[in-house]
Amino acid sequence: QEINLALAESAEINAGEAYQSTLITLLVAIGAGLVISIVLALLITRSITRPLRVVSATAVEISKGNFAIDDLDLKGRDELARLATEFNTMTNSLKEKAQVIKMMASGDFTVSAARSSDVDGLADSLEEMNEALNEVLGSVRIAVDQVTSGSTQISQSSQTLSQGASEQASSLEEITSSLAEISGQSNRNAENAVEASSLAKKAVENA
């Protein structure tokens, strides 16, 4: 009976030690799992937030009108890589349209913006603006041609008037010269008449 009691006490002690060992092992495993989970969560969060920060910074630059930016380099097959690819496509499309606007501003209205899709409203607006500018430019050219034609006609009329004025001045000079000759001839005739009258008086007196 004493032996059975000793065996029972020994078994109880062994069971207690096994329970403590199992509990410690379980707690260590839980602690290690928590640490690993926290580390993995931080790594995953960092792998997500860092690319999102890059995308956000690039979006801010585009909102400022700065298109001198490089494409996002996010490789992979996950959603972030797809987001980066679509974002690069959008950025390049905006760059092309900004270049088209720059060329229009420099006076080249032969350019056209490439359409990204059938619902590309920006490309539609640029095309409408280009057509409107071409119409305005055509109207301006017509107005310039009309002004040039009017200026030519005015110049021709001025030359005609100038020529007529010159001819009239020449005629006036001829008339003035003729009047001077007539006046001179009249003076000579008057002098001759006076001399003839004097000679007649002398002839009467002598008779």
Side-chain angles (χ1 to χ4, degrees), residues 6 51 53 65 85 89 99 111 114 130 140 144 146 177 180 201 205:
R53 288 177 182 174
T85 300
T89 302
Q99 184 64 26
V111 295
N130 194 4
V140 170
V144 169
Q146 292 177 348
S177 177
K201 287 181 179 180
E205 289 175 357

Side-chain angles (χ1 to χ4, degrees), residues 3 38 61 104 115 190:
I3 294 174
I38 292 172
E61 291 300 317
M104 288 182 182
R115 299 179 62 85

Side-chain angles (χ1 to χ4, degrees), residues 93-94 96-98 100-101 104 111-131:
S93 177
L94 290 175
E96 293 176 359
K97 291 177 175 62
V100 169
I101 294 174
M104 288 182 182
V111 295
S112 60
R115 299 179 62 85
S116 301
S117 65
D118 294 335
V119 292
D120 192 344
L122 182 56
D124 291 337
S125 298
L126 286 175
E127 185 176 355
E128 291 175 0
M129 182 180 70
N130 194 4
E131 291 176 355

Side-chain angles (χ1 to χ4, degrees), residues 149-182:
S149 177
S151 299
T152 302
Q153 292 177 356
I154 291 173
S155 177
Q156 292 176 352
S157 299
S158 298
Q159 291 178 357
T160 302
L161 290 174
S162 176
Q163 183 178 0
S166 298
E167 292 176 354
Q168 290 179 357
S170 177
S171 299
L172 287 175
E173 289 179 357
E174 292 178 357
I175 293 172
T176 302
S177 177
S178 299
L179 289 175
E181 291 180 359
I182 293 172

Side-chain angles (χ1 to χ4, degrees), residues 27 44 75:
L27 290 175
I44 293 173
K75 298 179 181 179

